[in-house]
Amino acid sequence: MPDNPLDMTGRTVIVTGATMGLGRVIATKFLEQGADVVVCARREPEEPVTAGGREAAFVAADVRDPDQVAAVVEYAVGRTGRIDVLVNNAGGAPPAETATVSPRFNEKIVALNLLAPLTFAQAVHPVMSAQQDGGVIINISSVSSIRPSPASAAYGAAKAGLDSLTRTLAHEWGPAIRVLSVMVGLLRTEQAHLYYGDEAGIEAVGQTLALGRMGSPEEIADVVLFCASPLASYMSGASVPVHGGGEVPSYLLATTGEVAQHRPGSEP
């Protein structure tokens, strides 16, 4: 193992949906560790993705379009001759009532959150499988894959499918390619107020988690970097929960209304 197993110098990394939010932070993390990073999104960012005086290459692409996905892969290989890590980060969904949402809406959400990662994984497979040291595919999943997801039924179902896909590809494509998913919990981002209200609301939601706070995109990016590194060399087919311990069981809130007193070590 190298002296610094997190050093990504000489590695080529593709991060989808990386011009803003979590994806941008993940791309920045790999840049900081020396990787050659290619980011893609439908629209070019107002500011390039940079870190340590280095800049990620940008390719405009809709990850739901197989031809555009193939173009991103071709561009990355043309730059360095290899692809070592694919981070399928592009995804998401606006809230929508399941009883009335249109079939077209559901199709788009499933296409973005499940079919697009599969298409991208298929596109990098020939490159990674031919490399002596293979490659790593990391799918960004969500806790919505393992718990009810009201007002985002298609999204939760797609993320559950993404975790299943992770396990399947790990067996089909191993040992050359490791495949993992990072199951993201509640994050405190620049848009948190749109979902949780003011600072008091954000703090209150954070208190429902075992660690008593929401996570940060940087903490998720650290786990993604670890999964891509030799430190995780015996990990494949796993969905890694990064959710602050998860949400407190609802029956505790219903019976006491207090979260903190149910944390380990909080009893008098």
Side-chain angles (χ1 to χ4, degrees), residues 163-174 179 237:
D163 289 332
S164 174
L165 177 67
T166 296
R167 295 187 292 271
T168 297
L169 295 186
H171 278 270
E172 282 201 39
W173 296 353
V179 188

Side-chain angles (χ1 to χ4, degrees), residues 183-240:
M183 193 183 294
V184 178
L186 302 180
L187 295 186
R188 183 173 187 139
T189 68
E190 66 273 10
Q191 295 185 324
H193 66 282
L194 298 177
Y195 299 93
Y196 311 117
D198 59 12
E199 186 64 25
I202 293 172
E203 291 292 334
V205 173
Q207 284 295 312
T208 68
L209 303 173
L211 290 185
R213 63 175 178 83
M214 291 187 191
S216 70
E218 289 76 14
E219 289 174 309
I220 304 301
D222 284 339
V223 175
V224 172
L225 177 64
F226 162 77
C227 288
S229 78
L231 292 173
S233 60
Y234 198 55
M235 292 178 63
S236 193
S239 295
V240 183

Side-chain angles (χ1 to χ4, degrees), residues 65-117:
D65 185 320
D67 291 336
Q68 294 184 42
V69 167
V72 177
V73 172
E74 182 179 358
Y75 175 83
V77 173
R79 281 173 60 88
T80 64
R82 60 187 300 114
I83 299 173
D84 298 280
V85 181
L86 166 66
V87 182
N88 277 315
N89 167 78
E97 290 296 328
T98 306
T100 55
V101 69
S102 71
R104 179 60 178 157
F105 176 91
N106 291 332
E107 290 172 4
K108 288 183 176 181
I109 297 307
V110 174
L112 177 61
N113 291 279
L114 175 58
L115 299 181

Side-chain angles (χ1 to χ4, degrees), residues 86-146:
L86 166 66
V87 182
N88 277 315
N89 167 78
E97 290 296 328
T98 306
T100 55
V101 69
S102 71
R104 179 60 178 157
F105 176 91
N106 291 332
E107 290 172 4
K108 288 183 176 181
I109 297 307
V110 174
L112 177 61
N113 291 279
L114 175 58
L115 299 181
L118 173 56
T119 298
F120 228 121
Q122 289 174 309
V124 301
H125 174 267
V127 181
M128 289 186 174
S129 60
Q131 294 171 170
Q132 183 175 2
D133 48 358
V136 184
I137 297 172
I138 300 171
N139 299 315
I140 302 301
S141 183
S142 166
V143 293
S144 294
S145 70
I146 57 171

